[in-house]
Amino acid sequence: MLWKTKVVSLLVAVILVATVAADANALTTNWNNGGATGKWETAGNWDAGVPTVADLAVISASGPVAIDATTGTATADIVDLKGGQVINQTGGTLTINTNIKVGRGSGESGTYNLSAGTINSTAAGNGQIQVARDPGSTGTFNLTGTGTVDLSGGSGGPHSSAMYVGTYGGVGVCNVNSTTGQLKAALFQIGYAGSWTGAGQGVGTVNHDAGTVVSSWVEIGTGWDDNGVGTYNLDGGTLDATDTTYGGYIILGNRGSVSTPIWTATATMNQDGGDVDVLGGIYIGAASGYTATYNFTSGTISDGTADAFMYVRNDASATGTFQGKGTVDLSGALDNNGKVIADGGTLNMKSFGSVTNTINNATTESNGWYAVNSGKLQLDDVAV
């Protein structure tokens, strides 16, 4: 378990080093179509021509941008969407070399609506989407219909294929409600803080009602030297964390280097439907300073035959709770140092290969096993 904890912290350090760079080498072309909705591929809608894969495309004024079936392939090194502006993609392909910024910059905002077509990255690119980054920024990314995000082209570590929602003091929202589309990124990071930048506490929310999210590493509430607020609401569709690239983990409450966080932070997974598939395991309260809660009232949690674990409160200075009803179909270890609560029905956790406890209760703590509201907790039989 200690080895896995070190991996969690190390990956965060790798990620943030690489998310800051890139703007310096790009040529800039600004959207200036005069206020009405305009096509991306129309040269007159840009002050320096249609962006190439080497260009910084700034969209901060002059009305919504349309990417549709007639666009073909739109390209940019970086797309900087701010000033309250909107991109509506109803077809075609947007290929980026580095990232898309939806509401980047202090006090900025933006919205990206993807209902059909594809967002992808070049083979050499970083392939990031940053939704709300920097103090006071807000951003929304909406995935509906048949839209597809495939950020799998990068080759520079987990940051090279990443979706960030609410970082460095920004408030970001990602809504996934697609019919046959999917959102794919090696790293999916929701709610990130970095006090060393003076940026503040990032707040990220994912509302997942239909469609598929594919990621090898899902972090809900995390930070570099402090902790953000992350919430994942799963009501339908599939959260697929079975990609082997970075182990297939879902982590609630993961943080970087300091021992005393500035902000009290929460990491919450609310599953009221849908399917969670995991390869490596689920951490609930991976690092200090977090109140991490997994509320499970409907849907499935499974690992196939992957032997995935669940650690409830992986750090003595964290708070971890798994609460609800239904069947948890994971076959690895269940290490409960926090609270496991059967609430309002049967919580079946009999599939785990072992049940352990590695952090003792302090004098003021009440961690353990509970059943409330006519709940019934089922664990595997133990010979005595």
Side-chain angles (χ1 to χ4, degrees):
M1 186 175 68
L2 291 177
W3 179 83
K4 289 188 171 71
T5 305
K6 290 178 181 177
V7 171
V8 172
S9 298
L10 175 62
L11 186 57
V12 172
V14 171
I15 292 160
L16 264 290
V17 167
T19 59
V20 191
D23 292 22
N25 296 324
L27 300 175
T28 300
T29 181
N30 294 279
W31 182 256
N32 67 346
N33 76 323
T37 298
K39 297 289 191 71
W40 176 286
E41 67 271 25
T42 302
N45 289 334
W46 302 91
D47 67 0
V50 178
T52 72
V53 75
D55 294 338
L56 167 60
V58 178
I59 302 164
S60 60
S62 299
V65 180
I67 301 174
D68 58 23
T70 66
T71 302
T73 299
T75 60
D77 178 21
I78 298 168
V79 178
D80 191 2
L81 177 63
K82 57 188 179 181
Q85 295 303 302
V86 178
I87 294 178
N88 294 313
Q89 184 174 354
T90 59
T93 299
L94 174 60
T95 299
I96 56 171
N97 191 51
T98 300
N99 56 42
I100 300 173
K101 305 170 183 177
V102 183
R104 171 76 185 269
S106 182
E108 295 288 358
S109 63
T111 301
Y112 199 116
N113 298 312
L114 174 61
S115 60
T118 302
I119 297 173
N120 60 23
S121 58
T122 65
N126 286 328
Q128 300 174 1
I129 298 178
Q130 302 172 357
V131 183
R133 174 171 169 164
D134 298 319
S137 65
T138 57
T140 303
F141 188 92
N142 296 313
L143 175 64
T144 59
T146 60
T148 297
V149 176
D150 185 4
L151 301 180
S152 56
S155 57
H159 59 274
S160 66
S161 174
M163 180 84 175
Y164 302 103
V165 182
T167 62
Y168 288 123
V171 178
V173 177
C174 177
N175 298 309
V176 181
N177 189 14
S178 64
T179 51
T180 59
Q182 72 170 16
L183 191 161
K184 182 178 181 181
L187 171 69
F188 196 10
Q189 195 175 77
I190 304 150
Y192 187 99
S195 62
W196 64 276
T197 65
Q201 186 175 41
V203 178
T205 303
V206 174
N207 301 307
H208 186 171
D209 297 316
T212 303
V213 171
V214 179
S215 182
S216 183
W217 191 283
V218 180
E219 286 187 326
I220 305 168
T222 185
W224 170 242
D225 63 348
D226 222 284
N227 35 16
V229 173
T231 304
Y232 199 117
N233 300 310
L234 178 63
D235 292 327
T238 300
L239 174 57
D240 183 348
T242 61
D243 179 27
T244 60
T245 307
Y246 301 107
Y249 298 106
I250 298 173
I251 306 163
L252 279 67
N254 184 33
R255 188 182 50 80
S257 57
V258 299
S259 58
T260 306
I262 295 174
W263 300 288
T264 300
T266 57
T268 308
M269 179 80 179
N270 297 313
Q271 186 179 355
D272 193 26
D275 304 312
V276 171
D277 302 325
V278 62
L279 176 69
I282 300 173
Y283 291 93
I284 304 169
S288 64
Y290 272 97
T291 298
T293 306
Y294 197 128
N295 295 308
F296 176 52
T297 56
S298 183
T300 67
I301 303 174
S302 62
D303 62 2
T305 58
D307 200 34
F309 61 80
M310 179 182 287
Y311 293 165
V312 182
R313 186 183 174 223
N314 191 53
D315 187 285
S317 298
T319 299
T321 303
F322 184 85
Q323 181 167 353
K325 58 185 178 181
T327 299
V328 179
D329 192 14
L330 303 181
S331 54
L334 170 58
D335 186 31
N336 178 27
N337 305 303
K339 294 180 180 179
V340 173
I341 305 172
D343 187 355
T346 299
L347 179 58
N348 184 343
M349 307 185 83
K350 299 183 70 172
S351 65
F352 285 99
S354 63
V355 178
T356 59
N357 167 243
T358 53
I359 302 174
N360 292 330
N361 270 337
T363 304
T364 58
E365 293 178 334
S366 56
N367 297 300
W369 309 89
Y370 293 86
V372 299
N373 300 320
S374 301
K376 179 181 180 180
L377 177 62
Q378 293 182 332
L379 298 171
D380 199 17
D381 297 336
V382 177
V384 178

